[in-house]
Amino acid sequence: MNRSRRITRDALASLLADKRRTALMMVGLATGVAVLSAVVAVGQGTRQRVLGLVRKHGLDMLMVRAGGEAQVFAPRADRGLAVLFEADARAIEAELPNVAMVSAVQNQRGIPVVHQDRSVTTRAFGVEDDWMEIRRWGVAEGEFVSAADLATASRVVLLGARVARDLFPQGGAVGQVVRVAGDPFTVKGVFVEMGASAGGDDWDDRIVMPYTTSSRRVLNRPALEQIVIRVADARRLGATADRVRELLRTRHAIGPGERDDFFVREPEDVEGAALEASSTLTALLLAVAIVALLAGGVVIANSMLAAVAQRAREIGIRRAAGAQASDIARQFLLEAVAVALAGGLVGVAAGIAAAASLGAVGIASSRITWLPFALALGSCALIGLAAGVLPARRAARLDPAAAIRDPAR
Amino acid sequence: MIDAVGLTRSYRRNATVIPVLVGLSLRVARGEFVAVMGASGSGKSTLLGILGLLDRPDGGTYRLDGAEPPWGDDAALSAARNAAIGFVFQQFHLLERATALRNVALPLLYAAGDVADDAGRAERALEAVGLAHRALHYPGELSGGEQQRVAIARALVNDPALILADEPTGSLDATSGGEILDTLRRLADRGRTIVLVTHERAVAERADRVVTLHDGRLTGPPLPPGPAERPGRAAAADDAARAAGS
């Protein structure tokens, strides 16, 4: 074994031989890295979750529901006071800035859909042609409702993935005729699998037709259940929601102090707030972590400086045995870097564990990628190196004769 | 082996300069066992530090094995110390957290180039001092005499020509001390050069020759006894004058 490998091995063995000192030096850095790792993992997890939601539904959507806030969770039968009309939708579209698209929405449960000997009972939606883009749905086969379909109130229907599966187990639904509440409709398209909403609604268990068709031919009523809105600038979603509220209160002649007879929901405002809060928290925790990292470095530098005095005898012994000043310097530097790296590893492990358990109990979603940890370990190595320079120089400069002669000094 | 002429060394403590060695001369022949006697504080350890290349004299010349040490070149100086000199100290100076074996192997760690079978060499050195069975013990688990034998094994592991022993029996009881002196005596008889410093007459008398350090100089026979010159007590005078004459 060559000289530098022997010296390296010996330095590491010395660290292992004094586990208590080594552990104490590691604590600060390990804490910093643990917080840092957890913050990064949770931050990335939150970001990913929110981005996933944006991708799926958009953070740029407002939904106006008929009925006041109190009625949202009331039994469905009580929601008969339908006070949204297409004119409300048109007014929102025409009068408000930052509104990109609007769609009137009707929906009703319990609509039978039959194809030959197969039948399902599902929820029927009547929508306008922008609805799919507002909701960010996708059509797997066929096409979505067109402006012409709306204009002519044509009897076309799109099937949710599950409805399509139930009625057409062999596929090939597009172009077929199904009976919706007794009337023949041509299947214009089939949606992609959408899964379920946060509230547990099965988005694949529905059919969608033009709003004009639903209001005139199927449900035979003009009242809307919803108006969905896509805003142009998602950052002004809240302001736009306020404008919608104002407009509808005026249109519905609701006096001051009276309750809304509608409810404007910002479906993702919870997520937006979560993202914002988490980025504030992330910044705070990052600051804490960086302070902890620096403090960890100072702890290492400090205990190693103290160690130079405490280990004067050891240094003298090593020098007497033939160690060069540079060998001593190298040993101290190596110790500092090794301690820092070990602290970093412990910290990363603790941080990942913390992030994972936060995720497991549902406080935060975490996402673990290798890059932040590689960076954390890299910074630890640098911190160790920086922390080790001064002690190493001092150790190397120690007068070996004096250290041997009166080591107590 | 050792040819030191007119060595001076002083320490500065605050504003005062304390002279420790003032023109000390000493010659030690290869294979000779020389004891340097002196009261505590007389500069014995300082002398040993200089002879062991741990400390540089302020003045005078020092030749080790015919050559002046490469003062100023730490790497070369350390290499020379590693290859040519083994130290034995009063306080043993073992690394507390290393086993006897690792302590003995310490000089091999700093030896130049590749070292084959360092563990084996350390084991054999321990065996030579009769402590093979203690190889994996820590210094704290060994008696004083055993610790000093480990230190001797460490001094020998790299097979140096010169052993420098600083009060090697000073921390030991009479029996253990006697064993250590026997060991050193045996080494000398096998041709190892030894310089031992002590304040005990009985210890010094185990050496081939005794010189006394007093007021920063040596008195006593400054030269190895040889056929041409066998200085007796009467011949012992100012050693600087002798050094000048030799």
Side-chain angles (χ1 to χ4, degrees):
Chain A
M1 198 187 299
N2 70 35
R3 192 170 186 278
S4 60
R5 276 193 58 193
R6 290 196 303 269
I7 293 171
T8 304
R9 195 183 54 167
D10 178 75
L12 298 180
S14 302
L15 277 178
L16 284 178
D18 203 345
K19 293 190 185 67
R20 198 170 60 100
R21 185 169 61 87
T22 307
L24 281 175
M25 283 200 285
M26 276 164 42
V27 169
L29 210 54
T31 310
V33 172
V35 174
L36 199 66
S37 310
V39 167
V40 168
V42 169
Q44 286 198 330
T46 307
R47 178 163 296 272
Q48 195 194 31
R49 192 161 60 96
V50 172
L51 285 178
L53 285 164
V54 171
R55 223 170 285 128
K56 203 167 172 186
H57 316 296
L59 278 177
D60 52 2
M61 192 187 87
L62 288 171
M63 184 185 285
V64 185
R65 278 185 175 169
E69 191 166 0
Q71 281 131 323
V72 169
F73 300 105
R76 297 218 169 242
D78 295 351
R79 280 208 237 157
L81 34 89
V83 291
L84 286 177
F85 294 94
E86 196 198 343
D88 290 325
R90 295 288 83 82
I92 290 169
E93 194 167 41
E95 293 175 29
L96 297 187
N98 197 31
V99 168
M101 297 175 202
V102 176
S103 171
V105 180
Q106 286 191 313
N107 77 73
Q108 190 158 319
R109 287 178 185 243
I111 303 294
V113 185
V114 181
H115 175 246
Q116 292 172 357
D117 57 344
R118 294 176 176 272
S119 72
V120 296
T121 301
T122 188
R123 190 169 186 178
F125 278 73
V127 304
E128 294 182 86
D129 51 346
D130 281 341
W131 181 87
M132 189 167 75
E133 218 180 320
I134 296 171
R135 295 301 309 261
R136 287 184 166 78
W137 277 44
V139 170
E141 295 169 57
E143 280 170 12
F144 193 66
V145 170
S146 68
D149 294 331
L150 277 159
T152 59
S154 61
R155 292 181 201 268
V156 293
V157 69
L158 282 97
L159 308 182
R162 185 160 150 200
V163 174
R165 238 188 346 264
D166 288 349
L167 293 181
F168 299 93
Q170 318 294 327
V174 176
Q176 300 287 319
V177 174
V178 295
R179 289 190 173 271
V180 177
D183 290 340
F185 275 67
T186 303
V187 175
K188 196 171 185 199
V190 174
F191 289 115
V192 296
E193 295 263 358
M194 291 302 295
S197 76
D201 282 346
D202 184 349
W203 279 335
D204 297 323
D205 183 12
R206 60 172 57 174
I207 61 172
V208 172
M209 63 184 71
Y211 151 72
T212 46
T213 311
S214 70
S215 65
R216 292 179 212 162
R217 303 187 197 277
V218 181
L219 306 178
N220 299 312
R221 58 172 164 88
L224 307 177
E225 267 73 25
Q226 300 171 1
I227 296 170
V228 290
I229 302 160
R230 156 111 58 121
V231 298
D233 180 357
R235 285 169 300 180
R236 293 196 281 126
L237 190 78
T240 305
D242 292 339
R243 298 293 299 273
V244 170
R245 235 170 259 130
E246 273 171 47
L247 179 68
L248 290 178
R249 281 182 75 90
T250 310
R251 289 181 57 81
H252 295 181
I254 299 170
E258 286 184 80
R259 284 222 192 143
D260 292 348
D261 59 0
F262 57 89
F263 176 57
V264 179
R265 190 165 78 113
E266 301 163 39
E268 285 77 26
D269 58 358
V270 180
E271 305 304 337
L275 184 61
E276 203 165 294
S278 90
S279 68
T280 311
L281 192 66
T282 300
L284 192 72
L285 284 173
L286 274 180
V288 170
I290 285 165
V291 168
L293 280 185
L294 291 178
V298 171
V299 166
I300 291 180
N302 201 40
S303 34
M304 293 212 59
L305 272 179
V308 173
Q310 284 160 11
R311 293 165 73 186
R313 194 182 74 107
E314 176 196 334
I315 294 166
I317 292 168
R318 290 181 183 276
R319 297 282 275 139
Q324 301 170 14
S326 63
D327 295 332
I328 300 294
R330 191 141 54 113
Q331 181 187 346
F332 274 73
L333 261 188
L334 207 79
E335 285 188 13
V337 172
V339 163
L341 270 180
L345 277 174
V346 169
V348 164
I352 288 177
S357 48
L358 280 179
V361 300
I363 293 172
S365 43
S366 61
R367 176 163 185 253
I368 287 137
T369 54
W370 63 269
L371 183 67
F373 301 117
L375 286 177
L377 289 182
S379 354
C380 281
L382 285 179
I383 287 172
L385 207 59
V389 166
L390 197 60
R393 275 174 55 166
R394 203 171 278 187
R397 283 181 186 169
L398 199 83
D399 175 6
I404 288 276
R405 210 165 43 232
D406 40 7
R409 195 171 52 133
Chain B
M1 186 76 212
I2 288 176
D3 187 357
V5 178
L7 295 183
T8 60
R9 183 77 172 92
S10 53
Y11 293 107
R12 205 177 297 275
R13 197 149 284 171
N14 301 328
T16 17
V17 173
I18 304 160
V20 178
L21 303 179
V22 286
L24 179 146
S25 299
L26 174 68
R27 294 177 85 180
V28 179
R30 185 169 280 279
E32 204 187 2
F33 184 176
V34 173
V36 177
M37 272 202 68
S40 63
S42 60
K44 304 187 299 284
S45 295
T46 298
L47 172 62
L48 225 53
I50 291 171
L51 296 183
L53 311 182
L54 285 170
D55 196 8
R56 184 177 185 167
D58 298 330
T61 59
Y62 171 36
R63 287 174 180 279
L64 177 64
D65 222 3
E68 200 156 340
W71 306 116
D73 179 354
D74 178 69
L77 206 61
S78 299
R81 189 161 57 233
N82 178 265
I85 301 165
F87 290 90
V88 180
F89 303 101
Q90 175 176 358
Q91 301 297 339
F92 324 133
H93 281 345
L94 300 177
L95 301 180
E96 292 302 320
R97 296 186 187 277
T99 58
L101 195 66
R102 242 186 93 202
N103 266 292
V104 171
L106 196 64
L108 298 178
L109 194 64
Y110 299 111
D114 286 357
V115 172
D117 190 25
D118 45 353
R121 283 173 67 180
E123 268 168 40
R124 284 192 290 281
L126 267 179
E127 218 172 274
V129 296
L131 282 178
H133 61 295
R134 296 282 204 216
L136 298 181
H137 286 243
Y138 288 86
E141 302 164 353
L142 302 174
S143 73
E146 285 173 328
Q147 289 189 54
Q148 194 61 297
R149 276 148 69 195
V150 171
I152 291 175
R154 178 179 64 191
L156 291 174
V157 74
N158 221 5
D159 197 24
L162 176 63
I163 301 281
L164 299 176
D166 190 351
E167 299 273 18
T169 62
S171 300
L172 300 177
D173 59 62
T175 315
S176 311
E179 282 170 14
I180 295 300
L181 289 174
D182 291 344
T183 306
L184 291 176
R185 185 64 254 175
R186 247 190 339 268
L187 289 171
D189 292 343
R190 288 185 204 145
R192 201 83 57 166
T193 310
I194 300 177
V195 175
L196 176 154
V197 306
T198 181
H199 66 279
E200 289 182 74
R201 163 75 45 194
V203 170
E205 278 171 353
R206 299 293 301 271
D208 298 330
R209 178 161 63 99
V210 179
V211 293
T212 303
L213 184 55
H214 186 67
D215 287 342
R217 296 166 203 226
L218 288 179
T219 55
L223 297 173
E229 187 188 8
R230 226 174 224 293
R233 291 304 291 170
D238 191 336
D239 132 76
R242 264 168 203 281
S246 63

